[in-house]
Amino acid sequence: MPEKDEKHVEVPLLEDYDATIPDSQPEADESLSPTPKSKPIPTLKRRALRLFIFCIWFYAVFMGSFYFFSFLGDQYDHTLDVLKTTALKTYGGITDTYQSITNPATREEVVDLMTELYELLAEMGYYDAAMIGRPPHSPGINRTLAAELEFSREAVEMMEMLPYLLQEEESLGWGGDNKFLLSGTFADLRDDGVLDFTRDPMFAIDDLSKGFDEDGGKYMRPDYICLMKLWTIDQENMGLQADPALKNIELEEGPGNMFSPENAASRLARDALRDYIHKFRTLEWIPGGNVNGTWEGDEYTRLYKENGWPESFNSTAFNIAREQWEEDDMARWDAEAPFQEVWKLDYWIQIALNDIDEKRRMIADVAAGMEIPPDKADREVYKQELQEEVKKRIESLPKLQAELEVAREVLKSIDPEVKRAREERMRKYGN
Ligand SMILES: *[C@@H]1O[C@H](CO)[C@@H](O)[C@H](O)[C@H]1NC(C)=O
Ligand SMILES: *[C@@H]1O[C@H](CO)[C@@H](O)[C@H](O)[C@H]1NC(C)=O
Ligand SMILES: *[C@@H]1O[C@H](CO)[C@@H](O)[C@H](O)[C@H]1NC(C)=O
C-alpha cells in the first residue's frame, strides 16, 4: 500500500461508503432488498431488538461520520414497543445528513476535536487534566487483537492517534461514575475488552460467518471506530436525553443489515464534536450528564458562572461550591419529606379506590355471566375471591386515611422557607 500523506488522508470509511451506499434513487437496491416502506420487523430483527433490552448502553460511532443509535429502556414491554418504533424510524435508511456529506473530516481533525473536548472537560473541573492520556500510548492499541477483530490499518492508526482518559482511578469525575454526556461514558480503546466490544456495540451479531449486508451478521466494518460509549435515548418515549440534532429524523427501512451504522441517523463526527464542545462551553450541557433548563442543570450553570466561567473560571472554588450545593440539595430533599409523605399517601389511597372500583366492576361482570379467566375453575369461587380483595382494600383505607391526616398535620408546621423554595422550583421545573 503506498504511503499517504497523513495530513490529507480522509477517513477511509467514507470512501468505502461512497462505493457501497446507494444514491438517493433506490433502483440499484431493488435486487438487494425490495423493501416496502413500512414492512413489519422480521423475526430476526425482533429477536435482535429484544437482545437490546438487556444491554443498556450503546456506542456512538464516529469515523468520518458520526452515527447515532436510538435506544431502549427498562420496562420490557414498553421498551419493545419503543424499539419497534425506533427501529422503523432509525434503522430505516440513509439520512439527508448522511447524503449531504461532501467534505468528510480527516482523522487529524477528529483527533484534534476529541482532544479539545477532553481538555475542555478538564478545564471545567470535571477531572484533572493529567488524566488525559495522549499519544504515543504505551501500551497502545493491542494490534494482535485489532488484527483478529479485522480492523483496517487506517483504523488502528487512528486509534493510536486518539487521546484517552486514564481510568485507573475509581473516581473519574465528580460523579465518580465515568459519566460523559447523555448518560454515556468514555471509551478507552487501549483496553482489550473495550476494543473487542466496539465490534458489536449493539449486541446484535448472531452469526459471525455472515456478511456485512446480512441481518444478524457483522455490521462494524474494518474502518469503523467508536469514539465513546453513548446512550442516545429516545427522549419522547423514555423521558431522557438524546442528541438534539438527531431528534425526529424519519428513516425508512434500508437494505442490508439493519444494524449497519449507515442505516442509522447520523452526522459527521466533526459536526457532532464541534456541537458538543459548543454546548459544554456555553453551559447548555454540564459534564456528568445534566442539561440546562433542568433544576440540576441550571444550578450547576449558576455555580459555573458564579465562579467565573468562562473568562476567569476557578475550578477549585467551583468544585468546593458544587460539593456544598450537592450536600444542600440532599438536605433540601430531606426537608421536603413531609410533602413526599402526603403525596405518597394520597397516591396509595387513590390506588386503593381505583382497585375497589375495578374489582366491583369485575364482580358485576361475573354476576352478569361474562367469561372468567381460564385459570379460574369456578365462577362462584372467583366472585368470592374478588369480594375478598375488595373487602381487604376497604379495610386498608381507614389506616391510610389516618396516616394521611397525620402527614398533613406535619406538613402544616413545615418551615415556610422550605415551602416557598419548593413552590418556586416546581413552578419552573415541575417536580
Ligand atoms: C493482545 O490480544 C491478544 C489476542 O486477544 C492476546 O492474546 C494478548 O494477550 C493481548 N496482549 C496484551 C499485551 O494484552
Ligand atoms: C440552554 O442554553 C443554550 C445556550 O446558552 C440556550 O440557547 C438555550 O435557550 C438554553 N435552554 C434552556 C432551556 O435554558
Ligand atoms: C481559586 O479558589 C480557591 C478556593 O476558593 C482559592 O484558594 C484560590 O486562591 C483561587 N484561585 C484564584 C486564582 O483566584
Side-chain angles (χ1 to χ4, degrees), residues 31 57 81 118 139 162 238 274 282 284 300 302 331:
S31 60
W57 51 277
D81 280 339
Y118 281 156
L162 283 165
M238 310 309 299
R274 279 188 188 150
T282 57
E284 190 172 339
Y300 284 124
R302 176 176 63 77

Side-chain angles (χ1 to χ4, degrees), residues 351-364:
I351 294 270
L353 292 174
N354 291 348
D355 192 50
I356 290 166
D357 275 356
E358 171 70 11
K359 294 277 155 57
R360 282 189 171 148
R361 232 188 334 270
M362 287 161 73
I363 291 166

Side-chain angles (χ1 to χ4, degrees), residues 205-222:
I205 297 179
D206 234 21
D207 182 352
L208 273 171
S209 69
K210 282 188 176 171
F212 286 111
D213 294 319
E214 288 177 89
D215 275 332
K218 290 178 284 192
Y219 52 96
M220 295 295 285
R221 291 171 193 267

